[in-house]
C-alpha cells in the first residue's frame, strides 16, 4: 500500500524560504493572514472505463473506481508594505475498485506487479509575498498559463514545484515569469524531474517561462505573448488573441494562437522544428453555443509540451487528444446547451466531433484519427447538497496509428468552503 508521503514543496534553495515561513509564524495573528484566509475541500468520486476495440490491443479493458479528497488552504496577507502569506494543498486518493487486469486508468498509482495502490497522497506548501499589485509564490502550486497548464483530468490534480511571479501594476496588463524544477503527476505521491510528452524518458533540469497579457477594448480583447524553455529539450514561443463581440442577440468569440517550437541546448528529445496555428470560433445565442475549431501543425515535429501537463491551450483539445502530431491538420465542431430553457436549471450538455488527417507518427505518414465526445453535467441548485456536481461523459476514439477505444467517465464532486 502506498501511504501519504509528506514532502517538501520548496525548490532546492530552501534556505531562502525558511526565513519567510518563520516570518509567517510570527505574524499569523495579525490582521489579514487569517481574516482573509479561505479553505476549500472537494470530495471527488471518479469512475473510469475504457474499452479497447482492437483485437491485438495489449489490454482489452481498463476499469477503475476511486475516491479523492482535495483540500486547499489560501491565507490572506499580513499587513505592511510587504504582505506575507501561505498556500497549502493536501491530496488523498483511495481505491474503491480495481484489478490487475483492468488497472492503469491513471486514477491510482501502479505497483510493479500491475496492481493499483490502495491509497496515495501528498501535501504541498507554497509561501507567498505581495508588494503592491505584484505577487511571488515559492513552493508547490498549480500553474495555469498557456505554456504550462496543470492536468486535473483524473482523481487528483498534477502539481509543480518552483516559483512564479505575477505583476499587475498597470491597468489591463499582467506580467508573469517563473521556473519549475519538479512535478508530481496526477497519479503519483512523489516528485520527479520534468520531461516532454515527445520524449518522457529524457529528463530536464527545469522549465522557465515569461509572458505578458494585455486586456483592452473594455476587456473584450486580450493579447498574449509568451516564451518558455524546457532546458536541453525545447524552446517555445506563443502568441494568442482572444476576443468577444456582441452582434445583435449573438455573442461571437475568437481564440487565435500560434506556437513556434525549436530544440534547446543538448536537444535531448532530438531535433525539434515546428509551428502550430489554431483558431477556435464560437457563436452563442440564448442557451445555445456553437463552436468551430481549425488547427494545423507544420514542420518536422509535433507540438511540444511538458509531460503530464494538459493540452487545454490548443484549439482542438478534446477529452483524449488534441490533434498535435507532426503535419496534422484537424477541425472540430461543438454544440453546448443549457437545459434551464426546458425547466431544468443546473443541467448542461455538450456534444462535439473532431477529425485529424495527414499525421506523421512513429507508425508513418498520412495518419488519420477522429474523436466524438458527449457530456451531461448537473449541479444541484439548492438545499443541503447545493453545489454537488455530477458529470457523465462518453468518448469514442479511432486512430489509424494507435489503439481504438470507447471511454466512459462518471465524476461526482462535492465542494465545501469555509
Amino acid at each position: 500500500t502506498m501511504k501519504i508521503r509528506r514532502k517538501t514543496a520548496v525548490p532546492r534553495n530552501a534556505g531562502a524560504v525558511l526565513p519567510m515561513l518563520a516570518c509567517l509564524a510570527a505574524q499569523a495573528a495579525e490582521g489579514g493572514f487569517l481574516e482573509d484566509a479561505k479553505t476549500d475541500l472537494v470530495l471527488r468520486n471518479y469512475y473510469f472505463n475504457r474499452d479497447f476495440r482492437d483485437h491485438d490491443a495489449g489490454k482489452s479493458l481498463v476499469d477503475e473506481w476511486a475516491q479523492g479528497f482535495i483540500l486547499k488552504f489560501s491565507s490572506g496577507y499580513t499587513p505592511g508594505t510587504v504582505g506575507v502569506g501561505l498556500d497549502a494543498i493536501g491530496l488523498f486518493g483511495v481505491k474503491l475498485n480495481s484489478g490487475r487486469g483492468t488497472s492503469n486508468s491513471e486514477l491510482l498509482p501502479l505497483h510493479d506487479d500491475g496492481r493499483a495502490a490502495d491509497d496515495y497522497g501528498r501535501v504541498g506548501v507554497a509561501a507567498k509575498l505581495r508588494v503592491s499589485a505584484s505577487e511571488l509564490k515559492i513552493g508547490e502550486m498549480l500553474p495555469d498559463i498557456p505554456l504550462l497548464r496543470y492536468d486535473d483530468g483524473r482523481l487528483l490534480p498534477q502539481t509543480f514545484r518552483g516559483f512564479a511571479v505575477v505583476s499587475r501594476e498597470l491597468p489591463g496588463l499582467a506580467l508573469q515569469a517563473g521556473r519549475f524544477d519538479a512535478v508530481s503527476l496526477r497519479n503519483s505521491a512523489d516528485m520527479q524531474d520534468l520531461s516532454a510528452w515527445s520524449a518522457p524518458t529524457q529528463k530536464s533540469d527545469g522549465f522557465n517561462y515569461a509572458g505578458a497579457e494585455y486586456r483592452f477594448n473594455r476587456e473584450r480583447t486580450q493579447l498574449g505573448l509568451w516564451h518558455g524553455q524546457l532546458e536541453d529539450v525545447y524552446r517555445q514561443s506563443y502568441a494568442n488573441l482572444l476576443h468577444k463581440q456582441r452582434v445583435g442577440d449573438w455573442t461571437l468569440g475568437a481564440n487565435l494562437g500560434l506556437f513556434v517550437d525549436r530544440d534547446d541546448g543538448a536537444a535531448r528529445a532530438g531535433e525539434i522544428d515546428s509551428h502550430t496555428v489554431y483558431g477556435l470560433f464560437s457563436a452563442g445565442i440564448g442557451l445555445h453555443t456553437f463552436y468551430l475549431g481549425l488547427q494545423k501543425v507544420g514542420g518536422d515535429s509535433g507540438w511540444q509540451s511538458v509531460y503530464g501537463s494538459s493540452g487545454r491551450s490548443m484549439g482542438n483539445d478534446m477529452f483524449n487528444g488534441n490533434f498535435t502530431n507532426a503535419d496534422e491538420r484537424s477541425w472540430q465542431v461543438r454544440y453546448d446547451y443549457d437545459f434551464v430553457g426546458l425547466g431544468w436549471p443546473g443541467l448542461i450538455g455538450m456534444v462535439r466531433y473532431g477529425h485529424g488527417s495527414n499525421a506523421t507518427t512513429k507508425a508513418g505518414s498520412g495518419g488519420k484519427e477522429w474523436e466524438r465526445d458527449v457530456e451531461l453535467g448537473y449541479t444541484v441548485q439548492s438545499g443541503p447538497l447545493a453545489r454537488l456536481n455530477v458529470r457523465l461523459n462518453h468518448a469514442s476514439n479511432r486512430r489509424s496509428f494507435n489503439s481504438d477505444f470507447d471511454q466512459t467517465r462518471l465524476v461526482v464532486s462535492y465542494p465545501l468552503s469555509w
Side-chain angles (χ1 to χ4, degrees), residues 137-205:
K137 289 187 178 182
I138 305 175
E140 191 167 346
M141 61 193 83
L142 307 170
D144 194 14
I145 60 173
L147 302 185
L148 186 66
R149 299 195 186 278
Y150 76 96
D151 192 297
D152 195 20
R154 291 294 191 272
L155 189 67
L156 302 179
Q158 172 192 35
T159 63
F160 289 83
R161 184 186 69 193
F163 75 87
V165 179
V166 181
S167 178
R168 294 185 173 88
E169 300 293 338
L170 299 177
L173 179 64
L175 302 175
Q176 301 193 47
R179 172 182 170 81
F180 296 101
D181 62 10
V183 60
S184 186
L185 300 176
R186 60 191 184 183
N187 62 334
S188 174
D190 299 316
M191 281 286 175
Q192 64 184 55
D193 291 335
L194 302 176
S195 60
W197 276 109
S198 58
T201 61
Q202 301 301 312
K203 304 303 182 182
S204 171
D205 291 336

Side-chain angles (χ1 to χ4, degrees), residues 294-305:
L294 303 171
Q295 185 172 291
K296 184 180 187 301
V297 182
D300 299 325
S301 54
W303 176 66
Q304 301 298 307
S305 59

Side-chain angles (χ1 to χ4, degrees), residues 260-274:
V260 177
D261 299 330
R262 299 289 185 270
D263 51 83
D264 179 73
R268 294 172 183 166
E271 182 177 348
I272 295 172
D273 183 0
S274 70

Side-chain angles (χ1 to χ4, degrees), residues 107-120:
L107 292 181
L108 302 158
L110 285 180
H111 293 303
D112 292 339
D113 63 359
R115 297 183 185 275
D118 291 332
D119 54 66
Y120 73 112

Side-chain angles (χ1 to χ4, degrees), residues 9-24:
V10 297
R12 296 184 179 92
N13 58 341
V17 181
L18 295 179
M20 188 184 305
L21 297 179
C23 179
L24 281 172

Side-chain angles (χ1 to χ4, degrees), residues 65-389:
W65 182 30
Q67 175 66 47
F69 303 85
I70 304 169
L71 179 65
K72 296 179 183 178
F73 169 80
S74 180
S75 78
Y77 286 93
T78 59
T81 303
V82 179
V84 183
L86 183 73
D87 289 347
I89 185 169
L91 304 170
F92 186 58
V94 181
K95 178 175 68 178
L96 298 179
N97 185 59
S98 177
R100 183 165 60 182
T102 59
S103 62
N104 202 24
S105 68
E106 297 191 28
L107 292 181
L108 302 158
L110 285 180
H111 293 303
D112 292 339
D113 63 359
R115 297 183 185 275
D118 291 332
D119 54 66
Y120 73 112
R122 59 186 184 271
V123 175
V125 177
K128 56 187 182 182
L129 291 175
R130 184 179 68 186
V131 178
S132 184
S134 298
E135 182 182 62
L136 165 67
K137 289 187 178 182
I138 305 175
E140 191 167 346
M141 61 193 83
L142 307 170
D144 194 14
I145 60 173
L147 302 185
L148 186 66
R149 299 195 186 278
Y150 76 96
D151 192 297
D152 195 20
R154 291 294 191 272
L155 189 67
L156 302 179
Q158 172 192 35
T159 63
F160 289 83
R161 184 186 69 193
F163 75 87
V165 179
V166 181
S167 178
R168 294 185 173 88
E169 300 293 338
L170 299 177
L173 179 64
L175 302 175
Q176 301 193 47
R179 172 182 170 81
F180 296 101
D181 62 10
V183 60
S184 186
L185 300 176
R186 60 191 184 183
N187 62 334
S188 174
D190 299 316
M191 281 286 175
Q192 64 184 55
D193 291 335
L194 302 176
S195 60
W197 276 109
S198 58
T201 61
Q202 301 301 312
K203 304 303 182 182
S204 171
D205 291 336
F207 178 81
N208 309 296
Y209 71 91
E213 290 181 335
Y214 180 57
R215 286 186 175 272
F216 57 100
N217 189 21
R218 298 181 180 178
E219 297 197 347
R220 291 193 296 256
T221 308
Q222 176 181 293
L223 176 65
L225 296 173
W226 295 82
H227 185 75
Q229 173 200 27
L230 185 61
E231 294 178 5
D232 290 317
V233 181
Y234 71 80
R235 291 175 288 117
Q236 184 173 73
S237 297
Y238 173 62
N240 176 231
L241 176 66
L242 301 174
H243 180 70
K244 281 194 173 183
Q245 183 71 47
R246 291 283 297 182
V247 179
D249 294 333
W250 290 82
T251 299
L252 305 182
N255 177 357
L256 308 177
L258 170 65
F259 287 91
V260 177
D261 299 330
R262 299 289 185 270
D263 51 83
D264 179 73
R268 294 172 183 166
E271 182 177 348
I272 295 172
D273 183 0
S274 70
H275 53 275
T276 304
V277 60
Y278 71 82
L280 180 61
F281 306 94
S282 63
I285 184 169
L287 306 175
H288 311 268
T289 307
F290 306 88
Y291 295 87
L292 172 65
L294 303 171
Q295 185 172 291
K296 184 180 187 301
V297 182
D300 299 325
S301 54
W303 176 66
Q304 301 298 307
S305 59
V306 173
Y307 180 74
S309 64
S310 169
R312 285 180 287 124
S313 292
M314 300 309 299
N316 284 345
D317 182 56
M318 300 182 71
F319 286 152
N320 296 305
N322 47 37
F323 305 97
T324 53
N325 296 292
D327 301 320
E328 188 165 12
R329 299 187 296 264
S330 62
W331 55 267
Q332 71 153 307
V333 289
R334 171 175 169 173
Y335 170 65
D336 291 10
Y337 180 69
D338 189 336
F339 285 84
V340 69
L342 298 179
W344 297 330
L347 180 65
I348 58 175
M350 179 273 290
V351 59
R352 66 185 168 193
Y353 176 85
H355 186 274
S357 61
N358 200 51
T360 298
T361 67
K362 293 180 180 179
S365 59
K368 296 181 179 181
E369 61 175 324
W370 60 261
E371 178 173 339
R372 181 179 61 240
D373 297 339
V374 180
E375 181 171 73
L376 281 175
Y378 176 68
T379 301
V380 178
Q381 301 296 291
S382 59
L385 294 180
R387 298 202 299 158
L388 183 143
N389 176 263

